[in-house]
Amino acid sequence: MAGGGGGGNTRELDQTPTWAVASVCGVIVLISILLEKGLHHIGEFFSHRKKKAMVEALEKVKAELMVLGFISLLLVFGQNYIIKICITEEAADTMLPCKLKKGAEHLGGVLGRPQAPYYAAAAFSPHPHRLLAEANMKAKCHEGKVSLISINALHQLHIFIFFLAVFHVMYSAITMALGRAKIRGWKEWEKEAAGQDDEFSNDPTRFRFTHETSFVRQHMNVLNKTPASFYISNFFRQFFRSVRKADYCALRHSFVNVHLAPGSKFDFQKYIKRSLEDDFKVIVGISPPLWASALTFLFLNVYGWHTMLWISIMPVVIILSVGTKLQGIICRMAIDITERHAVIQGIPLVQVSDQYFWFARPTFVLFLIHFTLFQNGFQIIYFLWILYEYGLDSCFNESNQFVFARLCLGVVVQFLCSYVTLPLYALVSQMGSTMKQSIFDDQTSKALKNWRAGVKKKAPNSNSKHGGHGSPTAGSPTRAAADSGIALT
């Protein structure tokens, strides 16, 4: 690529036809505009449906794409400076992702195996020195030293970032679609549960012991057993009807009675769906700890360390542990009910508490789900990038059977996490000590904010006119919600 030479594959921009430059740029600009318009229309759809959490999640996806775009731009701008950084050949031969081949030129980077295309071409080319000079024309290192990372490796890194951006959006969309599909199936349970509330409230003679209720009977097989059998039973329960009708009705009944007025008309299924959207708004982002975990994987992906194996197993272990814990929380609630030996009317009242969760923090469970989704998605994207760059029979893949098993494991984790564990968390996390903000829709939140602002504004006048006592009803939040025509349904 010597300045403006006439070689067929060495022409620079000043020797390239203008129609070729304009055509390539036009296609890139057109695709970019179509993508931007598509995201804009998706945002308008969510806004029209009053899906505030989904709008915020979409904005977070855009922000992540912008970060990846900045990374790509920095690589383009800094590549001429990066390849001028020289290191010793001994350092370049350490911690390689693939076994070092004798005689290979050190043109690969930390992400790519040691590449030898220029070396192989030079061996059979009438101008070997010219090819090698073109490959390292800007890497002016002294004898015994090589570039920190080559132009070819930087190009491969660019492609990896593109894969990460594209599949991050697709992966997030699949996660949300599966979660919503799971919660959509609870709509019929919500209608039946609302009917049961009316049935038991209008029939005061229907009393029974707690151990006779459907919720407790379904968990009797784990009562009075060893801790090992308790966790084994809950481990397998997450694979077969992770949320049952009796579980849903019991948790719904307890939530309404603890956080709202007993007998309130409340659409719990719709609230869970909004809560899932709030959780999705969290897991769609890539936080600094997740970036650190990705960089740690790239750093430890050394030949012989089997890092690819560990990154495939880790998401499975975490998500199965989380699912077992969530199932165990439901069973623990049933055990607590039986220990009270109470006589109840209708559905038993579950005790709500953060103590059921690890470290008394329900959000820690959400972080583990977030970490699992990111790690699983990252290893799938890494596999697809390797398949594109190096093919199936590359040194990254130990065997085709192992690759197939790892890919199937990634798909299973994605389905299990999105369709089972995340909706289960959205339901069980309502049994914490505090109530989530998503219980209020946008209109209710706006009415409460207006009420608060109105009280602050009227407080000085009320104190001066009534000796420090304001009106007890004129500015109440219930009145503000009623004025806006808002109900809890």
Side-chain angles (χ1 to χ4, degrees), residues 44 75 96 133 179 183 227 239 244 259 262 273 301 306 343 358 377 379 412 419 421 458 468 476:
E44 287 185 337
L75 283 176
L96 298 177
I183 293 180
F239 301 108
R244 305 187 182 189
H259 294 299
K273 189 164 60 174
N301 188 27
H306 306 292
V343 178
W358 281 316
Q379 69 103 1
V412 169
Y419 189 75
T421 310
K458 294 179 181 179
S476 66

Side-chain angles (χ1 to χ4, degrees), residues 34 70 135 140 174 191 222 251 306 319 335 361 365 441:
L34 291 176
F70 279 138
K140 298 178 181 179
I174 293 173
K191 294 179 180 178
V222 299
L251 299 186
H306 306 292
I319 202 60
I335 293 174
R361 293 179 57 192
V365 178
D441 57 19

Side-chain angles (χ1 to χ4, degrees), residues 190 193-194 197 247-256 264 266 268:
E190 177 65 28
D197 288 343
D247 299 337
Y248 178 85
C249 293
L251 299 186
R252 176 192 180 277
H253 176 74
S254 301
F255 179 87
V256 172
S264 299
F266 181 70
F268 188 63

